[in-house]
């Protein structure tokens, strides 16, 4: 048995995976140390390893596979999921990982892995032939990004991502919105997606459903928004540079 070639079958492995070949934890740990000394294996963090490719000299596991191996419930979300789907062509060096189990942020191979508290198991996909990647669906990725706009991606990035999105399934969007049950999220989602209604393939019924849930509160689209225009339909102050319908200048609006 060649242990290195056996471990190449798993993008990320743990001591317990190696112990299957030894049935002795001390021997398994010694085997890993030997491979690390020979630059055939690299440690990602505590009890997480990946092989080094003999062809490229780089880690075999990519950042998405690493993220999904941190905890048994971890999956990529937010702008990291956008990257996975090719929605954005910008290269980020921060990887957002949702998980039911907390882990401390860490760095590996130039990327920083950030913990995000999981908001349930709905809308998580495991693409075939992905090497174990778990990722939020495009619909949940969109809602999560809008929900955490001020915490993670930022308003400009979210708006840019929406402009690059293709068709979305509105039943999935509404299902996840209902799960989160947040008036402000209905406001933000309704406004932002209405700007790309045709491109996203969303019906008037979808926006009526959102509008029925927004309540009477008036809010700023983002806390980073210093000024803008007031959109009466969605009861939001939004950026002036957007093609805002039914908008008036913020200084002329009461909020």
């Amino acid at each position: 048995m060649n242990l290195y070639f056996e471990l190449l079958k798993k993008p990320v492995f743990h001591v317990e995976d190696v112990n299957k070949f030894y049935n002795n934890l001390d021997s398994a740990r010694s085997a890993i140390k030997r491979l690390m000394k020979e630059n055939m294996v690299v440690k990602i963090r505590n009890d997480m390893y990946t092989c080094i490719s003999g062809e490229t000299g780089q880690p075999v596991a990519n950042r998405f596979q690493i993220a999904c191996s941190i905890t048994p419930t971890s999956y990529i979300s937010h702008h990291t999921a956008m990257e996975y789907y090719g929605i954005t062509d910008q290269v980020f060096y921060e990887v957002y990982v949702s998980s039911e189990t907390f882990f401390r942020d860490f760095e590996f191979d130039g990327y920083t892995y950030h913990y995000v508290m999981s908001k349930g198991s709905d809308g998580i996909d495991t693409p075939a032939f992905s090497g174990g990647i778990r990722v939020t669906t495009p619909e949940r990725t969109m809602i999560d990004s809008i929900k955490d706009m001020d915490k993670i991606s930022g308003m400009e990035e979210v708006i840019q991502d929406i402009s690059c999105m293709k068709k979305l399934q509105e039943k999935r969007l509404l299902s996840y919105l209902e799960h989160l049950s947040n008036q402000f999220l209905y406001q933000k989602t309704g406004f932002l997606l209405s700007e790309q209604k045709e491109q996203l393939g969303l019906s008037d019924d979808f926006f009526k459903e959102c509008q029925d849930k927004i309540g009477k509160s008036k809010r700023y689209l983002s806390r980073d928004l210093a000024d803008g225009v007031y959109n009466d339909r969605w009861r939001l102050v939004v950026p002036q540079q957007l093609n805002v319908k039914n908008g008036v200048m913020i200084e002329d609006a009461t909020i």
Side-chain angles (χ1 to χ4, degrees):
M1 178 199 71
N2 187 309
L3 180 62
Y4 172 76
F5 287 109
E6 291 294 329
L7 296 177
L8 276 174
K9 298 175 184 178
K10 295 179 69 68
V12 177
F13 62 89
H14 309 275
V15 171
E16 193 57 46
D17 295 312
V18 180
N19 193 41
K20 293 176 182 178
F21 301 102
Y22 292 91
N23 200 27
N24 183 295
L25 284 175
D26 288 337
S27 297
R29 293 189 181 100
S30 296
I32 293 173
K33 289 180 181 178
R34 183 169 62 252
L35 290 174
M36 290 175 62
K37 187 175 181 180
E38 296 172 356
N39 295 319
M40 301 174 76
V41 163
V42 63
K43 182 178 180 179
I44 299 170
R45 68 192 297 262
N46 288 339
D47 196 26
M48 278 184 66
Y49 305 87
T50 187
C51 290
I52 296 295
S53 169
E55 295 179 357
T56 66
Q58 299 297 314
V60 168
N62 61 45
R63 64 190 184 280
F64 305 125
Q65 292 168 327
I66 290 171
C68 296
S69 301
I70 297 172
T71 76
T73 60
S74 62
Y75 53 93
I76 55 175
S77 60
H78 298 80
H79 80 59
T80 304
M82 293 286 188
E83 285 186 87
Y84 179 79
Y85 288 122
I87 301 301
T88 175
D89 57 5
Q90 185 176 349
V91 178
F92 295 94
Y93 293 96
E94 294 181 309
V95 181
Y96 285 92
V97 188
S98 292
S99 172
E100 295 176 14
T101 305
F102 173 80
F103 65 86
R104 294 187 182 278
D105 292 359
F106 67 95
E107 295 183 10
F108 174 74
D109 198 32
Y111 293 96
T112 300
Y113 294 78
H114 296 286
Y115 165 77
V116 181
M117 182 183 295
S118 176
K119 296 295 184 180
S121 58
D122 292 341
I124 302 172
D125 192 17
T126 305
F129 311 111
S130 65
I133 290 174
R134 293 183 296 278
V135 56
T136 49
T137 62
E139 290 79 11
R140 178 170 172 180
T141 301
M142 190 77 273
I143 298 300
D144 282 345
S145 296
I146 293 173
K147 174 176 64 70
D148 296 325
M149 188 166 61
D150 288 335
K151 298 178 181 178
I152 296 178
S153 299
M155 179 178 63
E156 292 184 4
E157 182 187 320
V158 170
I159 292 172
Q160 180 63 34
D161 287 343
I162 293 172
S163 72
C164 296
M165 273 277 191
K166 301 301 181 184
K167 302 290 183 180
L168 293 174
Q169 296 186 37
E170 59 183 61
K171 287 185 178 179
R172 289 186 177 182
L173 292 171
L174 289 171
S175 175
Y176 197 54
L177 283 167
E178 184 178 2
H179 170 72
L180 294 172
S181 187
N182 182 294
Q183 286 186 350
F184 187 27
L185 183 55
Y186 276 107
Q187 284 177 280
K188 292 190 292 183
T189 301
F191 169 74
L192 288 169
L193 299 192
S194 68
E195 295 296 303
Q196 304 290 337
K197 173 184 172 182
E198 288 76 19
Q199 176 181 312
L200 299 175
L202 300 176
S203 70
D204 290 337
D205 289 340
F206 171 80
F207 295 101
K208 184 180 184 303
E209 184 77 17
C210 289
Q211 197 169 9
D212 288 344
K213 300 291 179 64
I214 67 174
K216 297 183 178 180
S217 297
K218 300 176 181 179
R219 300 180 172 94
Y220 282 82
L221 176 63
S222 169
R223 67 187 179 197
D224 295 330
L225 186 61
D227 58 10
V229 295
Y230 178 63
N231 184 284
D232 184 61
R233 179 185 182 188
W234 298 106
R235 297 178 179 270
L236 286 172
V237 177
V238 301
Q240 296 186 45
Q241 65 267 29
L242 288 179
N243 181 23
V244 182
K245 299 177 181 178
N246 303 319
V248 295
M249 294 300 292
I250 185 173
E251 53 261 39
D252 296 329
T254 300
I255 187 167

